[in-house]
Amino acid sequence: MDSDIHMFTVNGQVSTPLTPSSLGAQSFLETKHLEQWVVDNPQVLGSDVKIVTTQYDKWSSEFGDLAKERLDVLGLDSSGQLVVVELKRGFDSRIHLQAITYAALVAGFSKETLAEAHADYLSRIRIEANSISVAKAQEKLQEHVDGEWDDDILTIPKIVLLAEQFTAQTYTTVKWLTDLTPNLSIEMRTINVFLPSGDTTDGLPCVVFRRLYPTDDPTVRVLTPGVAGADAVVTKIAERKMRVRSTYILHDNEVIPEGARLELCLRGVVNLTTVEEVENWIAGDPKRGEAVWARHRERPLRWAAEDKDVTWTPTGLARHIVTLATGINLDVIPGGDAWRYGGRTLYELANQVESAGPLP
């Protein structure tokens, strides 16, 4: 079986090729295996994706014509955007048509509908001893989303097509749709299996996920004047993704020196009453409003007020401080806007790096 991916095991100077196989030849099934791999490793769908449900079929229809429609996987990324996933072992020239239908259906979801689906899913997979309430499920989803989360963000889901290969028909249609409708985000991702060379019975197979189209993710780029007329919801999603990725960008580009001090500034981020309560609490010990930058990609902050080797996400630490200062548990604090280094927010610093390259 030919493949455009070449994989090798390496032992010093000796490299041994892995032999491409197929999911079917290895008796891997869509629901039992492929779906479970995605559930166990949602990062193959993109960064910060949480699984909401699988095999969802509780659509409402006056005529009952949607009863057999099953959405393979529904995810939620930390910007609040839904991720609709259609899985195929081998290939299916109609994979994109099914996925678009599911995307149109979930675009009508509210946060409450989503929470109901998530509660049902968690109870079904028995992640907890007792059935989980819809309110608790919604809380879990809200905790995953960074900052404010409005229903309008749910109206434009991202579509991920995941298959071993794609036909020219699918590739042409997806490219035409994305060129025609820039607000529509469709990704084609492949999954391929490889075996130790010359041995199809011993040794573990290797499964490879990769993004085929587009080659990068346009929704996480910084917006430019060229797309100023984009739909307001798409603009909001792009900006939220950028805020979520701020710490990754700053870490990867080494913008902030390890050990540097950051300052919490909640003005313009939360309501004024909360700001004043937090500032009064910080006045009792200025270290309460400071953090130290650590070389950690996901949790780069150490709180200056605690003598512990614990790192936080910018959002997590801001929420923690607000809770201690006010007793209020806020879910809508965008960490990239709450912390400042050198007078600029983490979001502003990351935005500059993405727009013009590393800071001088």
Side-chain angles (χ1 to χ4, degrees):
M1 180 179 177
D2 193 18
S3 173
D4 62 345
I5 307 173
H6 299 277
M7 298 191 65
F8 302 83
T9 59
V10 177
N11 184 6
Q13 293 182 325
V14 179
S15 60
T16 305
L18 298 180
T19 303
S21 183
S22 69
L23 295 172
Q26 301 306 311
S27 300
F28 291 133
L29 305 175
E30 285 178 10
T31 303
K32 183 177 180 180
H33 299 105
L34 179 52
E35 180 182 295
Q36 191 59 48
W37 298 341
V38 172
V39 169
D40 291 340
N41 304 280
Q43 66 269 25
V44 302
L45 306 175
S47 60
D48 299 317
V49 174
K50 179 183 182 66
I51 302 300
V52 175
T53 189
T54 62
Q55 296 300 311
Y56 183 82
D57 63 353
K58 292 180 173 57
W59 316 108
S60 61
S61 170
E62 180 181 354
F63 303 104
D65 55 346
L66 297 176
K68 295 182 179 180
E69 299 288 346
R70 284 182 179 269
L71 169 58
D72 289 336
V73 177
L74 180 63
L76 177 72
D77 77 15
S78 51
S79 73
Q81 185 180 32
L82 292 175
V83 182
V84 172
V85 186
E86 181 66 14
L87 309 173
K88 293 296 179 186
R89 189 181 73 167
F91 66 89
D92 184 338
S93 61
R94 299 180 67 255
I95 183 175
H96 54 288
L97 300 178
Q98 292 174 283
I100 290 171
T101 298
Y102 297 140
L105 291 170
V106 303
F109 278 15
S110 65
K111 287 187 289 186
E112 289 72 24
T113 308
L114 204 62
E116 290 173 0
H118 192 46
D120 178 73
Y121 169 71
L122 294 178
S123 299
R124 175 158 41 96
I125 64 174
R126 297 182 179 179
I127 198 168
E128 297 186 9
N130 301 315
S131 295
I132 187 170
S133 68
V134 173
K136 183 64 176 177
Q138 184 165 342
E139 182 181 327
K140 288 178 176 290
L141 295 176
Q142 180 68 68
E143 288 175 353
H144 178 69
V145 176
D146 188 85
E148 188 177 358
W149 186 25
D150 300 322
D151 278 346
D152 61 351
I153 293 178
L154 302 177
T155 62
I156 303 184
K158 181 171 77 172
I159 297 172
V160 176
L161 310 178
L162 182 57
E164 281 187 272
Q165 55 183 307
F166 293 95
T167 64
Q169 174 183 332
T170 298
Y171 198 104
T172 301
T173 305
V174 168
K175 188 176 186 307
W176 176 74
L177 282 172
T178 53
D179 288 345
L180 184 67
T181 312
N183 291 356
L184 183 64
S185 176
I186 307 180
E187 292 184 359
M188 299 165 62
R189 292 178 180 255
T190 56
I191 174 171
N192 301 104
V193 61
F194 291 78
L195 302 173
S197 184
D199 186 351
T200 59
T201 58
D202 297 330
L204 294 175
C206 176
V207 175
V208 179
F209 292 84
R210 67 166 181 155
R211 180 163 51 201
L212 178 65
Y213 177 86
T215 54
D216 63 356
D217 185 355
T219 63
V220 298
R221 296 178 191 158
V222 175
L223 299 180
T224 65
V227 294
D231 181 87
V233 175
V234 174
T235 301
K236 181 187 293 188
I237 291 172
E239 290 175 343
R240 289 176 62 82
K241 285 181 181 289
M242 181 61 192
R243 281 178 162 82
V244 170
R245 293 178 64 248
S246 294
T247 55
Y248 299 161
I249 295 168
L250 297 177
H251 174 277
D252 294 347
N253 289 276
E254 300 182 348
V255 174
I256 302 177
E258 185 171 6
R261 291 271 171 163
L262 284 75
E263 179 184 12
L264 180 69
C265 182
L266 295 174
R267 290 187 175 270
V269 178
V270 299
N271 66 76
L272 186 58
T273 301
T274 301
V275 169
E276 292 175 346
E277 285 189 63
V278 173
E279 289 181 348
N280 289 335
W281 184 72
I282 290 175
D285 181 357
K287 288 185 178 181
R288 293 172 176 172
E290 297 178 353
V292 178
W293 187 261
R295 292 293 298 163
H296 192 293
R297 195 169 191 268
E298 296 180 355
R299 299 184 302 279
L301 300 186
R302 285 191 175 89
W303 192 23
E306 64 179 2
D307 187 19
K308 297 179 181 178
D309 190 22
V310 176
T311 55
W312 299 78
T313 65
T315 293
L317 182 52
R319 287 175 176 169
H320 181 63
I321 292 172
V322 169
T323 299
L324 291 178
T326 68
I328 300 172
N329 186 9
L330 291 181
D331 292 324
V332 292
I333 303 177
D337 295 318
W339 291 97
R340 294 175 177 265
Y341 172 68
R344 287 185 289 179
T345 67
L346 300 183
Y347 171 69
E348 290 170 340
L349 291 170
N351 202 342
Q352 181 172 343
V353 172
E354 287 278 272
S355 300
L359 298 168

